[in-house]
Amino acid sequence: MLKLDGVDTYYGPSHILKNVSLEVNQGEIVTLLGANAAGKTTTMKTILGLVRPTKGAVSFADQRIDRTPTKEIVSRGLVLVPEARRVFPRMSVMENLQMGAYIRKDTAAIQADLDRVLTLFPRLKERATQLAGTLSGGEQQMLAIGRALMASPRLVCMDEPSMGLSPILVQTVFDTIQRIRDQGVTVFLVEQNAFMALNIADRGYVLQQGRIVLADTAKNLLTNDLVRRAYLGG
């Protein structure tokens, strides 16, 4: 469903991604692990067209998208839940959710998706008229995920969804990711909490200094010595 093939990405003279290749199949949860500055967020930005690769190809549903405008990528069903949530703080919860559907015209389907999101996140229904900037961190993460689902995605990329959350809310977020997959949405997850990510993922990749150094099933990565030393405290 999503494929990166030999991707190199630069920020000016800085070579960030180096021959990165990975795949996400329909119905999977796939996680990308790595330390700070490994290139995880750049991978997400490259997928969404926010940064253009200088080499290699990015494909979604068997069509190349590495030269496609971000708006068109979203309209095809590939959306991002950004790092640090990035909600619109001066807009209400409901307005943020409506912004997630801004490229859509199918009014009845939009309402159905809104009902689905509010069922998935009852707290958002309670806070519908509240300004997003006044929500707690966990509530803002729910809103960021809900806003992405309002685009009616086929695949959701999530960038560090557990960042800054309490352990209880982290568990809630990962439970929600599984429920989203169970509802038919494929998930590509960038996450520093390797233990939680690998416990819900089907497969995983490890990114170090811009290169993929490991690729395996999540079960195998949980017992891999490199992963245990670097990310699991083992």
Side-chain angles (χ1 to χ4, degrees):
M1 196 169 192
L2 174 67
K3 183 177 182 179
L4 277 67
D5 186 11
V7 167
D8 281 22
T9 300
Y10 287 77
Y11 287 143
S14 300
H15 194 179
I16 308 300
L17 299 184
K18 303 162 186 174
N19 195 35
V20 169
S21 296
L22 58 83
E23 294 183 358
V24 181
N25 299 313
Q26 186 169 352
E28 286 188 313
I29 299 175
V30 175
T31 188
L32 180 65
L33 307 176
N36 286 333
K40 302 188 304 297
T41 294
T42 301
T43 302
M44 289 296 198
K45 290 182 176 180
T46 302
I47 292 168
L48 269 293
L50 301 171
V51 180
R52 301 296 182 191
T54 57
K55 180 183 175 184
V58 181
S59 301
F60 176 63
D62 296 322
Q63 294 184 325
R64 282 190 66 169
I65 59 172
D66 46 271
R67 292 296 181 266
T68 302
T70 300
K71 179 180 177 181
E72 175 64 22
I73 293 172
V74 172
S75 72
R76 295 184 190 185
L78 176 57
V79 301
L80 174 68
V81 178
E83 183 181 11
R85 300 175 276 278
R86 306 285 184 179
V87 299
F88 302 108
R90 296 173 182 262
M91 298 171 66
S92 71
V93 167
M94 186 60 67
E95 288 168 336
N96 269 266
L97 293 175
Q98 291 167 341
M99 283 298 294
Y102 82 101
I103 60 172
R104 300 174 61 186
K105 305 298 182 185
D106 48 342
T107 305
I110 291 172
Q111 183 59 50
D113 283 338
L114 179 60
D115 293 342
R116 180 166 67 102
V117 167
L118 294 179
T119 299
L120 187 63
F121 299 114
R123 184 66 60 87
L124 298 183
K125 187 173 184 178
E126 297 171 6
R127 303 281 196 270
T129 60
Q130 188 171 326
L131 293 182
T134 66
L135 298 177
S136 69
E139 291 167 341
Q140 288 189 18
Q141 188 61 63
M142 295 175 195
L143 181 55
I145 295 172
R147 181 181 59 190
L149 294 177
M150 287 300 297
S152 189
R154 299 164 64 191
L155 188 151
V156 175
C157 295
M158 297 189 180
D159 194 355
E160 303 284 8
S162 73
M163 180 182 290
L165 302 183
S166 68
I168 292 176
L169 288 175
V170 168
Q171 184 64 59
T172 299
V173 166
F174 281 97
D175 288 345
T176 300
I177 293 170
Q178 289 181 291
R179 291 173 64 188
I180 290 170
R181 191 268 298 276
D182 291 344
Q183 292 176 1
V185 180
T186 303
V187 179
F188 181 47
L189 173 66
V190 161
E191 181 57 56
Q192 282 193 312
N193 190 329
F195 180 78
M196 293 294 292
L198 290 171
N199 269 286
I200 67 166
D202 299 289
R203 296 186 297 108
Y205 295 87
V206 177
L207 190 67
Q208 288 187 349
Q209 297 181 328
R211 297 183 186 275
I212 299 291
V213 296
L214 277 176
D216 209 334
T217 65
K219 182 179 179 180
N220 286 344
L221 288 175
L222 274 168
T223 59
N224 180 277
D225 286 343
L226 186 153
V227 173
R228 291 180 65 84
R229 289 195 306 268
Y231 305 109
L232 300 177

